[in-house]
Amino acid sequence: MTNNITINFTKKTIELSATYGKKAQKYGSPEYKELQEILEKHSDYTVTIRQCQHKHVKNNLSVKGLTYDFMERYITKYDNENITDYENKRATLSSYYDIKIWFIEKYPEAIGNNEKVNKILAASRRKEKEIISA
């Protein structure tokens, strides 16, 4: 028996992890055979798939729709003389994250939500401080 299977004697259930449950659905797989052996011993038990135990924490620092294409179109439309600055940043900065921070600092009105802009910029400053202090 593996950690992917839990037998709950109180509830009379056989609990499977989500990944293990998918593997056990394939007829003839080792997981299927193991589950069948357990079901022979506990024929009155029901099989359930365990829900994910960890909580997904959304950092809320993403900006939906903020793509390279959006940034380029925005600069072309509202600040066309700085399009070369953007193109230079694209050529020299290595990551999307760096370009996103540059864009938000330069054009916070493009995002619209001041609270979100402040969160993103504060997080980028913390990240810079961590890199400098390391």
Short mmCIF file of all heavy atoms in Angstrom, two decimals, residues 14 33 57:
data_model
loop_
_atom_site.label_atom_id
_atom_site.label_comp_id
_atom_site.label_asym_id
_atom_site.label_seq_id
_atom_site.Cartn_x
_atom_site.Cartn_y
_atom_site.Cartn_z
N ILE A 14 -12.48 4.13 0.90
CA ILE A 14 -11.10 4.01 0.43
C ILE A 14 -10.83 5.30 -0.31
O ILE A 14 -11.42 5.56 -1.36
CB ILE A 14 -10.92 2.79 -0.48
CG1 ILE A 14 -11.31 1.51 0.27
CG2 ILE A 14 -9.50 2.71 -1.01
CD1 ILE A 14 -11.47 0.31 -0.62
N LYS A 33 -4.67 -2.78 -10.19
CA LYS A 33 -4.54 -4.08 -9.52
C LYS A 33 -4.47 -3.93 -8.00
O LYS A 33 -5.10 -4.71 -7.27
CB LYS A 33 -3.30 -4.81 -10.05
CG LYS A 33 -3.44 -5.24 -11.49
CD LYS A 33 -2.17 -5.85 -12.03
CE LYS A 33 -2.32 -6.20 -13.51
NZ LYS A 33 -1.07 -6.64 -14.11
N VAL A 57 -3.04 29.88 -3.06
CA VAL A 57 -3.06 31.29 -2.70
C VAL A 57 -2.73 32.08 -3.96
O VAL A 57 -1.65 31.94 -4.53
CB VAL A 57 -2.03 31.60 -1.59
CG1 VAL A 57 -2.04 33.07 -1.25
CG2 VAL A 57 -2.33 30.77 -0.37
#
